[in-house]
Amino acid sequence: MLLVAAITASAESILDGWEYTVRLGYNIGGTMPIGMPATIRSLNKYKLEANFALGIDVHKPLTSQWGVLSGLHLENKGMDVDATVKNYHMEMTQGGESIEGYYTGNLVTECDEWALTLPLFATFKVCDKIMLKCGPYLSYLATKSFKGYVYDGYLRKTDPTGEKTNMTNDKSVTFDFSDNMRRWQVGIDVGVDWQIGQRWGASADLQWGLNGIHKSSFTTIEQTLYPIYGTLGVIYKLK
């Protein structure tokens, strides 16, 4: 009984002062190279996806200003982009056969990721209502998809001057690189929480992936693509 009482008292002492927050957010961004390559000529369309994020955080103040924050987030990061490219190295399927070469024309890419994310932040309270946060995150992709189609263009095999294959406008020439995506992603998150009332508040974050979404062995797309998303949301303080 004395041992149980001692452990309980120790646990209460350790957990004393912890703050619990639920947050709901919306992710805006995409999977992109760092710096726009010359092979991507223009962005014709960007479609917003249902990129919602739901999580619970625990925050432990260490001093009057500094603290640590962690939690568990379920989030969706997706994009639907139509771009015009020139001599863009691609592999695609036409009539059940795989063809590879340098593509010029319109390229539609649909990327979708459902992830469980574990953040680990250092926090700094500017005042009673505003808290800055920064630190790494680790994400596990429960589902992953990277696919699309091409239209109104042509592919040259082997090199940019090779044999020319024209592409139709019926979405029949497709690509799917979902199996080449990583399960684990790491990155940096910088954000701010603003406590509007006693319970409710708002938040803004920028998540920048440090490793590409595809495995290092994947070389079909020449550029490394990183997940870069901003998140706007609301927070509710449980304790």
Side-chain angles (χ1 to χ4, degrees):
M1 290 177 64
L2 289 173
L3 179 60
V4 171
I7 293 174
T8 301
S10 177
E12 289 178 351
S13 176
I14 294 173
L15 296 177
D16 184 45
W18 286 86
E19 301 169 350
Y20 301 88
T21 301
V22 175
R23 61 182 66 238
L24 175 65
Y26 182 77
N27 296 320
I28 305 172
T31 300
M32 62 193 76
I34 304 301
M36 192 63 69
T39 52
I40 301 178
R41 295 306 176 96
S42 64
L43 185 65
N44 304 320
K45 183 183 72 173
Y46 173 85
K47 180 181 177 183
L48 292 176
E49 300 292 300
N51 296 332
F52 292 103
L54 177 65
I56 184 167
D57 290 336
V58 289
H59 177 242
K60 173 65 174 179
L62 302 178
T63 68
S64 59
Q65 289 185 302
W66 291 96
V68 292
L69 183 148
S70 187
L72 187 63
H73 301 170
L74 173 64
E75 53 187 2
N76 179 235
K77 294 179 179 178
M79 70 171 189
D80 186 341
V81 173
D82 185 327
T84 299
V85 299
K86 184 175 182 179
N87 293 331
Y88 193 75
H89 187 258
M90 283 291 293
E91 181 180 357
M92 54 195 73
T93 302
Q94 183 180 41
E97 295 184 0
S98 178
I99 54 176
E100 184 175 356
Y102 294 83
Y103 174 71
T104 296
N106 293 316
L107 175 76
V108 175
T109 302
E110 300 168 354
C111 181
D112 189 67
E113 302 172 338
W114 275 100
L116 286 173
T117 298
L118 178 70
L120 182 60
F121 297 138
T123 64
F124 180 80
K125 283 195 173 183
V126 179
C127 60
D128 289 341
K129 293 186 177 294
I130 299 177
M131 182 177 72
L132 306 179
K133 55 188 180 180
C134 179
Y137 68 84
L138 175 67
S139 293
Y140 173 78
L141 270 59
T143 63
K144 51 192 178 69
S145 174
F146 189 96
K147 58 185 179 180
Y149 60 91
V150 300
Y151 69 97
D152 193 19
Y154 60 87
L155 182 82
R156 290 193 180 273
K157 298 180 180 179
T158 310
D159 58 59
T161 60
E163 179 185 348
K164 183 177 180 181
T165 302
N166 291 317
M167 303 299 170
T168 62
N169 294 335
D170 59 0
K171 302 181 183 180
S172 62
V173 185
T174 62
F175 59 90
D176 190 341
F177 304 137
S178 304
D179 292 339
N180 302 106
M181 297 176 68
R182 302 178 190 267
R183 280 289 181 187
W184 295 94
Q185 293 180 358
V186 295
I188 296 293
D189 189 317
V190 178
V192 57
D193 286 355
W194 176 32
Q195 202 69 39
I196 300 173
Q198 184 177 1
R199 295 286 186 181
W200 289 97
S203 66
D205 289 79
L206 174 63
Q207 292 184 333
W208 193 293
L210 297 180
N211 61 341
I213 66 166
H214 293 110
K215 301 173 183 176
S216 56
S217 58
F218 178 72
T219 57
T220 300
I221 297 178
E222 298 173 353
Q223 299 84 19
T224 302
L225 303 180
Y226 300 91
I228 302 173
Y229 285 84
T231 306
L232 299 175
V234 295
I235 57 178
Y236 182 79
K237 192 173 182 179
L238 299 174
K239 177 185 175 183

